[in-house]
mmCIF file of all heavy atoms in Angstrom:
data_model
loop_
_atom_site.group_PDB
_atom_site.id
_atom_site.type_symbol
_atom_site.label_atom_id
_atom_site.label_comp_id
_atom_site.label_asym_id
_atom_site.label_seq_id
_atom_site.Cartn_x
_atom_site.Cartn_y
_atom_site.Cartn_z
ATOM 1 N N LEU B 370 -33.717 -211.572 32.328
ATOM 2 C CA LEU B 370 -32.794 -210.957 31.340
ATOM 3 C C LEU B 370 -33.421 -211.120 29.891
ATOM 4 O O LEU B 370 -33.373 -210.080 29.090
ATOM 5 C CB LEU B 370 -31.515 -211.846 31.320
ATOM 6 C CG LEU B 370 -30.327 -211.236 30.501
ATOM 7 C CD1 LEU B 370 -29.990 -209.892 30.978
ATOM 8 C CD2 LEU B 370 -29.130 -212.184 30.568
ATOM 9 N N VAL B 371 -34.081 -212.187 29.606
ATOM 10 C CA VAL B 371 -34.678 -212.342 28.289
ATOM 11 C C VAL B 371 -35.809 -211.231 28.197
ATOM 12 O O VAL B 371 -36.028 -210.603 27.177
ATOM 13 C CB VAL B 371 -35.324 -213.700 28.163
ATOM 14 C CG1 VAL B 371 -36.246 -213.775 26.892
ATOM 15 C CG2 VAL B 371 -34.256 -214.746 28.029
ATOM 16 N N ASN B 372 -36.621 -211.069 29.330
ATOM 17 C CA ASN B 372 -37.596 -210.034 29.315
ATOM 18 C C ASN B 372 -36.990 -208.684 28.946
ATOM 19 O O ASN B 372 -37.477 -207.875 28.119
ATOM 20 C CB ASN B 372 -38.271 -209.996 30.723
ATOM 21 C CG ASN B 372 -38.732 -208.677 31.128
ATOM 22 O OD1 ASN B 372 -37.911 -207.737 31.292
ATOM 23 N ND2 ASN B 372 -40.005 -208.532 31.479
ATOM 24 N N ASN B 373 -35.842 -208.421 29.584
ATOM 25 C CA ASN B 373 -35.177 -207.117 29.395
ATOM 26 C C ASN B 373 -34.628 -207.049 27.922
ATOM 27 O O ASN B 373 -34.809 -205.917 27.384
ATOM 28 C CB ASN B 373 -33.915 -207.074 30.323
ATOM 29 C CG ASN B 373 -34.280 -206.340 31.588
ATOM 30 O OD1 ASN B 373 -33.785 -205.380 32.019
ATOM 31 N ND2 ASN B 373 -35.329 -206.932 32.255
ATOM 32 N N VAL B 374 -34.108 -208.079 27.421
ATOM 33 C CA VAL B 374 -33.577 -208.001 26.105
ATOM 34 C C VAL B 374 -34.715 -207.746 25.107
ATOM 35 O O VAL B 374 -34.672 -206.861 24.237
ATOM 36 C CB VAL B 374 -32.890 -209.325 25.692
ATOM 37 C CG1 VAL B 374 -32.595 -209.377 24.229
ATOM 38 C CG2 VAL B 374 -31.582 -209.470 26.496
ATOM 39 N N LEU B 375 -35.890 -208.484 25.310
ATOM 40 C CA LEU B 375 -36.995 -208.241 24.435
ATOM 41 C C LEU B 375 -37.537 -206.844 24.414
ATOM 42 O O LEU B 375 -37.736 -206.168 23.479
ATOM 43 C CB LEU B 375 -38.161 -209.193 24.848
ATOM 44 C CG LEU B 375 -38.056 -210.664 24.366
ATOM 45 C CD1 LEU B 375 -39.073 -211.572 24.917
ATOM 46 C CD2 LEU B 375 -38.100 -210.781 22.825
ATOM 47 N N LEU B 376 -37.693 -206.360 25.710
ATOM 48 C CA LEU B 376 -38.156 -204.993 25.829
ATOM 49 C C LEU B 376 -37.207 -203.969 25.176
ATOM 50 O O LEU B 376 -37.599 -202.963 24.543
ATOM 51 C CB LEU B 376 -38.360 -204.628 27.250
ATOM 52 C CG LEU B 376 -39.697 -205.277 27.895
ATOM 53 C CD1 LEU B 376 -39.583 -205.178 29.421
ATOM 54 C CD2 LEU B 376 -40.907 -204.519 27.388
ATOM 55 N N THR B 377 -35.930 -204.191 25.344
ATOM 56 C CA THR B 377 -34.968 -203.257 24.793
ATOM 57 C C THR B 377 -34.986 -203.313 23.267
ATOM 58 O O THR B 377 -34.801 -202.289 22.599
ATOM 59 C CB THR B 377 -33.603 -203.615 25.335
ATOM 60 O OG1 THR B 377 -33.619 -203.753 26.731
ATOM 61 C CG2 THR B 377 -32.627 -202.495 25.032
ATOM 62 N N VAL B 378 -35.121 -204.569 22.746
ATOM 63 C CA VAL B 378 -35.144 -204.705 21.264
ATOM 64 C C VAL B 378 -36.393 -203.990 20.698
ATOM 65 O O VAL B 378 -36.319 -203.306 19.784
ATOM 66 C CB VAL B 378 -35.181 -206.174 20.896
ATOM 67 C CG1 VAL B 378 -35.496 -206.349 19.427
ATOM 68 C CG2 VAL B 378 -33.817 -206.819 21.138
ATOM 69 N N ILE B 379 -37.524 -204.185 21.421
ATOM 70 C CA ILE B 379 -38.761 -203.474 20.946
ATOM 71 C C ILE B 379 -38.533 -201.964 20.936
ATOM 72 O O ILE B 379 -38.852 -201.278 20.006
ATOM 73 C CB ILE B 379 -39.957 -203.843 21.813
ATOM 74 C CG1 ILE B 379 -40.327 -205.278 21.781
ATOM 75 C CG2 ILE B 379 -41.210 -203.057 21.426
ATOM 76 C CD1 ILE B 379 -41.418 -205.729 22.650
ATOM 77 N N CYS B 380 -37.950 -201.478 22.012
ATOM 78 C CA CYS B 380 -37.680 -200.119 22.122
ATOM 79 C C CYS B 380 -36.751 -199.611 21.003
ATOM 80 O O CYS B 380 -36.988 -198.583 20.409
ATOM 81 C CB CYS B 380 -37.091 -199.749 23.519
ATOM 82 S SG CYS B 380 -36.667 -198.081 23.663
ATOM 83 N N ALA B 381 -35.717 -200.358 20.752
ATOM 84 C CA ALA B 381 -34.756 -200.028 19.722
ATOM 85 C C ALA B 381 -35.444 -199.935 18.383
ATOM 86 O O ALA B 381 -35.211 -199.036 17.534
ATOM 87 C CB ALA B 381 -33.598 -201.021 19.651
ATOM 88 N N MET B 382 -36.356 -200.933 18.156
ATOM 89 C CA MET B 382 -36.996 -200.919 16.863
ATOM 90 C C MET B 382 -38.062 -199.787 16.686
ATOM 91 O O MET B 382 -38.139 -199.171 15.653
ATOM 92 C CB MET B 382 -37.649 -202.335 16.708
ATOM 93 C CG MET B 382 -38.970 -202.460 15.988
ATOM 94 S SD MET B 382 -40.112 -203.159 17.192
ATOM 95 C CE MET B 382 -41.444 -202.090 16.804
ATOM 96 N N VAL B 383 -38.662 -199.432 17.872
ATOM 97 C CA VAL B 383 -39.518 -198.246 17.745
ATOM 98 C C VAL B 383 -38.637 -196.962 17.496
ATOM 99 O O VAL B 383 -39.027 -196.164 16.727
ATOM 100 C CB VAL B 383 -40.313 -198.113 19.052
ATOM 101 C CG1 VAL B 383 -41.132 -196.825 19.106
ATOM 102 C CG2 VAL B 383 -41.307 -199.279 19.231
ATOM 103 N N LEU B 384 -37.543 -196.911 18.175
ATOM 104 C CA LEU B 384 -36.657 -195.786 17.988
ATOM 105 C C LEU B 384 -36.237 -195.623 16.527
ATOM 106 O O LEU B 384 -36.210 -194.556 16.027
ATOM 107 C CB LEU B 384 -35.379 -195.922 18.951
ATOM 108 C CG LEU B 384 -34.434 -194.734 18.936
ATOM 109 C CD1 LEU B 384 -35.061 -193.529 19.575
ATOM 110 C CD2 LEU B 384 -33.161 -195.093 19.602
ATOM 111 N N LEU B 385 -35.857 -196.739 15.962
ATOM 112 C CA LEU B 385 -35.341 -196.814 14.614
ATOM 113 C C LEU B 385 -36.403 -196.372 13.627
ATOM 114 O O LEU B 385 -36.245 -195.452 12.759
ATOM 115 C CB LEU B 385 -34.871 -198.210 14.182
ATOM 116 C CG LEU B 385 -34.374 -198.302 12.754
ATOM 117 C CD1 LEU B 385 -33.011 -197.644 12.704
ATOM 118 C CD2 LEU B 385 -34.222 -199.857 12.421
ATOM 119 N N GLY B 386 -37.622 -196.906 13.861
ATOM 120 C CA GLY B 386 -38.778 -196.456 12.988
ATOM 121 C C GLY B 386 -39.115 -195.030 13.168
ATOM 122 O O GLY B 386 -39.570 -194.405 12.225
ATOM 123 N N THR B 387 -39.005 -194.520 14.308
ATOM 124 C CA THR B 387 -39.370 -193.094 14.551
ATOM 125 C C THR B 387 -38.283 -192.192 14.018
ATOM 126 O O THR B 387 -38.707 -191.126 13.447
ATOM 127 C CB THR B 387 -39.483 -192.926 16.100
ATOM 128 O OG1 THR B 387 -40.353 -193.933 16.668
ATOM 129 C CG2 THR B 387 -40.098 -191.527 16.436
ATOM 130 N N LEU B 388 -37.062 -192.520 14.132
ATOM 131 C CA LEU B 388 -36.015 -191.656 13.720
ATOM 132 C C LEU B 388 -35.528 -191.847 12.308
ATOM 133 O O LEU B 388 -34.797 -191.032 11.763
ATOM 134 C CB LEU B 388 -34.908 -191.660 14.660
ATOM 135 C CG LEU B 388 -35.147 -191.147 16.005
ATOM 136 C CD1 LEU B 388 -33.842 -191.201 16.959
ATOM 137 C CD2 LEU B 388 -35.713 -189.758 16.065
ATOM 138 N N TYR B 389 -35.912 -192.975 11.713
ATOM 139 C CA TYR B 389 -35.427 -193.269 10.382
ATOM 140 C C TYR B 389 -35.685 -192.221 9.344
ATOM 141 O O TYR B 389 -34.750 -191.787 8.595
ATOM 142 C CB TYR B 389 -36.039 -194.623 9.919
ATOM 143 C CG TYR B 389 -35.298 -195.244 8.670
ATOM 144 C CD1 TYR B 389 -34.001 -195.640 8.724
ATOM 145 C CD2 TYR B 389 -35.981 -195.305 7.443
ATOM 146 C CE1 TYR B 389 -33.379 -196.124 7.588
ATOM 147 C CE2 TYR B 389 -35.403 -195.839 6.307
ATOM 148 C CZ TYR B 389 -34.103 -196.206 6.397
ATOM 149 O OH TYR B 389 -33.486 -196.710 5.312
ATOM 150 N N PRO B 390 -36.897 -191.659 9.271
ATOM 151 C CA PRO B 390 -37.161 -190.536 8.368
ATOM 152 C C PRO B 390 -36.194 -189.328 8.553
ATOM 153 O O PRO B 390 -35.687 -188.730 7.609
ATOM 154 C CB PRO B 390 -38.613 -190.121 8.631
ATOM 155 C CG PRO B 390 -39.244 -191.316 9.186
ATOM 156 C CD PRO B 390 -38.118 -192.005 9.980
ATOM 157 N N LEU B 391 -35.922 -189.108 9.854
ATOM 158 C CA LEU B 391 -35.064 -187.980 10.128
ATOM 159 C C LEU B 391 -33.614 -188.242 9.684
ATOM 160 O O LEU B 391 -32.935 -187.402 9.107
ATOM 161 C CB LEU B 391 -35.047 -187.839 11.673
ATOM 162 C CG LEU B 391 -34.172 -186.672 12.237
ATOM 163 C CD1 LEU B 391 -34.771 -185.445 11.803
ATOM 164 C CD2 LEU B 391 -34.103 -186.830 13.740
ATOM 165 N N VAL B 392 -33.122 -189.491 9.893
ATOM 166 C CA VAL B 392 -31.769 -189.884 9.459
ATOM 167 C C VAL B 392 -31.665 -189.832 7.980
ATOM 168 O O VAL B 392 -30.681 -189.196 7.427
ATOM 169 C CB VAL B 392 -31.482 -191.305 9.980
ATOM 170 C CG1 VAL B 392 -30.115 -191.862 9.345
ATOM 171 C CG2 VAL B 392 -31.391 -191.330 11.521
ATOM 172 N N VAL B 393 -32.697 -190.319 7.301
ATOM 173 C CA VAL B 393 -32.619 -190.293 5.842
ATOM 174 C C VAL B 393 -32.574 -188.928 5.264
ATOM 175 O O VAL B 393 -31.856 -188.515 4.397
ATOM 176 C CB VAL B 393 -33.842 -191.109 5.238
ATOM 177 C CG1 VAL B 393 -33.844 -190.892 3.749
ATOM 178 C CG2 VAL B 393 -33.650 -192.558 5.554
ATOM 179 N N ASP B 394 -33.404 -188.094 5.856
ATOM 180 C CA ASP B 394 -33.510 -186.690 5.554
ATOM 181 C C ASP B 394 -32.167 -185.951 5.800
ATOM 182 O O ASP B 394 -31.672 -185.223 4.990
ATOM 183 C CB ASP B 394 -34.644 -185.979 6.305
ATOM 184 C CG ASP B 394 -35.155 -184.792 5.555
ATOM 185 O OD1 ASP B 394 -34.705 -184.546 4.422
ATOM 186 O OD2 ASP B 394 -36.005 -184.035 6.097
ATOM 187 N N ALA B 395 -31.531 -186.293 6.930
ATOM 188 C CA ALA B 395 -30.346 -185.639 7.281
ATOM 189 C C ALA B 395 -29.169 -186.043 6.318
ATOM 190 O O ALA B 395 -28.277 -185.247 6.109
ATOM 191 C CB ALA B 395 -29.878 -185.997 8.716
#
Side-chain angles (χ1 to χ4, degrees):
Chain B
L370 189 60
V371 170
N372 148 302
N373 269 238
V374 169
L375 282 173
L376 284 165
T377 312
V378 166
I379 296 176
C380 177
M382 144 241 136
V383 174
L384 184 70
L385 182 69
T387 309
L388 294 183
Y389 192 66
L391 180 69
V392 169
V393 171
D394 204 3

